[in-house]
Amino acid sequence: MELRVLRYFLEAAREENITRAARKLHVSQPTMSKQLKDLENELGQQLFVRTNYAIKLTDAGLFLKKRAEEILNLSDRTERAFRSLDTIDGCEIHIGSAETEVFSYLSCAFHKLQLTYPHIRLHVTSGNLSDLTESLDTGILDFALVSDFINTDKYNFLDLPMVHHWGIILRTDDSLAQKPYFTIDDLRSLPLICSRQGLSQLMASWFGHDTDQLRVVATYNLIFNAAIMVRSHVGYAITFDNLIPNIPGYDLCFRPLYPLKQSTLKVIWKKYQQFTPQAAALLTELRHTLTPENIHSNSTSLNNIHSKKTITKDFTDI
C-alpha cells in the first residue's frame, strides 16, 4: 500500500464521492478510480459499495479507514519531526489522557516549555486506557496519562503525586444526595452509568462474580456526557472525584465510596522510545515539575491534596 493511494482512499471515504475527492486532491477521476480498484484487489476485499450518486464504506472499508488515518497521521508526524530535528520551537507534542485534574502537572510542565519556545504546540487526546495505549503503541502519542496501570515490562512511567477517589455523581435534588457516602452494597440496586474501562476492570474487582447482576444502564467514555445523563435522570455515574463541571445551576454533586476506593495515576511512554527533541524537553520539564519542592509550591496541587485529606478525615470520624 502506498501512502498516496491511502490518501486517495481516505479522501474518497470522507467525501463519499470519488469525483469530489479527485477534484480536492487535484487528480483525475479515472486515475483515482483505478487506484482504489487496485487497492481493493491488493487487499482482496471490497472497500466501497458504489451507487450512481455516492459510495459507502463496507466493514472492510471502515476498518481500513481507521488504520489509514493512523498510518497517515504517523507519516505526517514523522516528516514534521525530521524537519524539526534541529529546533524545538514551532513543533508538536502529542499526549493522551484520561479525564483527570492531575493533568494539571503536564499542563504546568508544557507552560514552562512555552516560556522558552513560544511556538511549540500541544495536542491532547482524551480516552480510556485501551484507546490511549493503542495510540501509544502505534506512535501516534508521545505520552499517555493513565490510571491504575502496572505493565512496567512494556512502558516506562512517572508516578504522579496524587490519587483519585471513586464515587458517585448524582443530582442534588435526589433523596440519596443526603447520604455522606455510598457503599458497594448501595450500588447493587441503583441504575449505574459506568466508564467502559471501569466496567470491565474495576467493577469486577469490586463486585467479584456479581457484575452480571448490576443494573448498568449506560456506559461512557467522557465524563461530561455521563454528567448530562445524570442530569437527565438516566442513572448514577461512577467516576473520579473533582470532575463535575463547575457550572452554576448544574445541580450535580459527588459522594465518595466507602471504604475508600482509589486509583493512582502515571505518565507512561514506550520503553526504548526514541523521543523527538520537543517530547524529550517536555519529559525533562515534567521531571522538574514533579520534584518535591515544586509540588509543594504549586497552589493548585495543594488545594487538591487538601480536599483529598478532608474526605479521608471525614471517614475516620464515621
Side-chain angles (χ1 to χ4, degrees):
M1 289 183 291
E2 297 181 21
L3 295 179
R4 171 178 53 82
V5 178
L6 286 181
R7 293 189 194 280
Y8 291 171
F9 165 78
L10 203 53
E11 196 61 45
R14 290 168 177 166
E15 290 291 328
E16 297 185 348
N17 183 284
I18 293 179
T19 300
R20 287 199 301 269
R23 190 180 303 122
K24 288 188 66 173
L25 294 180
H26 306 290
V27 297
S28 69
Q29 187 271 339
T31 296
M32 178 173 283
S33 293
K34 182 179 184 305
Q35 294 285 344
L36 294 179
K37 188 62 178 176
D38 289 345
L39 179 61
E40 289 182 314
N41 292 336
E42 179 183 354
L43 296 175
Q45 294 287 338
Q46 183 178 355
L47 302 174
F48 299 102
V49 175
R50 295 164 174 82
T51 69
N52 291 334
Y53 305 102
I55 55 175
K56 299 293 182 183
L57 291 177
T58 63
D59 288 343
L62 289 170
F63 177 80
L64 181 61
K65 181 175 182 290
K66 183 177 185 297
R67 286 291 181 257
E69 289 171 339
E70 294 173 348
I71 291 169
L72 294 174
N73 185 8
L74 184 58
S75 172
D76 293 341
R77 281 198 60 202
T78 303
E79 287 187 20
R80 291 194 295 270
F82 269 92
R83 289 198 298 267
S84 64
L85 284 178
D86 298 326
T87 181
I88 293 178
D89 204 12
C91 302
E92 301 174 343
I93 301 172
H94 294 254
I95 295 176
S97 179
E99 289 185 294
T100 166
E101 61 178 350
V102 183
F103 186 78
S104 61
Y105 286 102
L106 283 162
S107 182
C108 181
F110 179 74
H111 173 63
K112 291 178 180 177
L113 210 58
Q114 279 183 306
L115 299 178
T116 305
Y117 307 106
H119 300 295
I120 198 168
R121 179 177 296 175
L122 178 65
H123 297 280
V124 180
T125 301
S126 297
N128 59 30
L129 180 62
S130 60
D131 295 335
L132 298 181
T133 51
E134 180 181 351
S135 295
L136 201 62
D137 292 344
T138 56
I140 294 174
L141 296 176
D142 297 306
F143 305 99
L145 193 165
V146 299
S147 65
D148 294 311
F149 192 82
I150 58 173
N151 186 357
T152 56
D153 293 333
K154 191 174 183 180
Y155 301 98
N156 291 322
F157 66 92
L158 281 177
D159 282 311
L160 295 177
M162 287 174 60
V163 297
H164 268 302
H165 294 102
W166 286 89
I168 305 297
I169 292 179
L170 66 163
R171 292 175 58 95
T172 54
D173 60 1
D174 192 304
S175 61
L176 295 180
Q178 303 303 314
K179 294 172 64 70
Y181 61 88
F182 284 77
T183 67
I184 292 297
D185 285 338
D186 290 332
L187 304 186
R188 297 181 188 277
S189 60
L190 297 178
L192 301 177
I193 303 170
C194 308
S195 72
R196 289 192 288 274
Q197 177 184 333
L199 183 62
S200 61
Q201 298 175 6
L202 289 173
M203 301 292 278
S205 66
W206 293 353
F207 293 93
H209 298 293
D210 297 334
T211 53
D212 291 340
Q213 300 176 14
L214 297 176
R215 293 181 58 200
V216 178
V217 297
T219 63
Y220 68 88
N221 190 33
L222 300 176
I223 189 59
F224 187 83
N225 293 331
I228 290 176
M229 287 191 282
V230 174
R231 290 186 68 201
S232 302
H233 302 274
V234 173
Y236 298 78
I238 301 178
T239 187
F240 289 153
D241 51 357
N242 296 319
L243 292 184
I244 299 177
N246 186 20
I247 302 173
Y250 217 66
D251 300 327
L252 297 178
C253 59
F254 177 87
R255 296 293 179 265
L257 289 175
Y258 181 72
L260 287 174
K261 303 290 185 182
Q262 65 184 36
S263 289
T264 58
L265 296 114
K266 304 177 187 295
V267 173
I268 65 172
W269 62 94
K270 289 191 300 183
K271 282 193 171 181
Y272 315 112
Q273 179 169 336
Q274 185 64 45
F275 283 124
T276 61
Q278 52 272 25
L282 179 65
L283 182 58
T284 298
E285 193 59 62
L286 182 59
R287 292 183 191 275
H288 180 68
T289 300
L290 294 176
T291 57
E293 59 272 20
N294 286 332
I295 290 173
H296 290 298
S297 66
N298 187 303
S299 60
T300 300
S301 297
L302 285 175
N303 289 336
N304 291 335
I305 292 170
H306 174 73
S307 68
K308 305 284 188 299
K309 288 181 177 178
T310 300
I311 291 175
T312 305
K313 180 179 182 300
D314 288 344
F315 280 144
T316 61
D317 294 336
I318 294 174

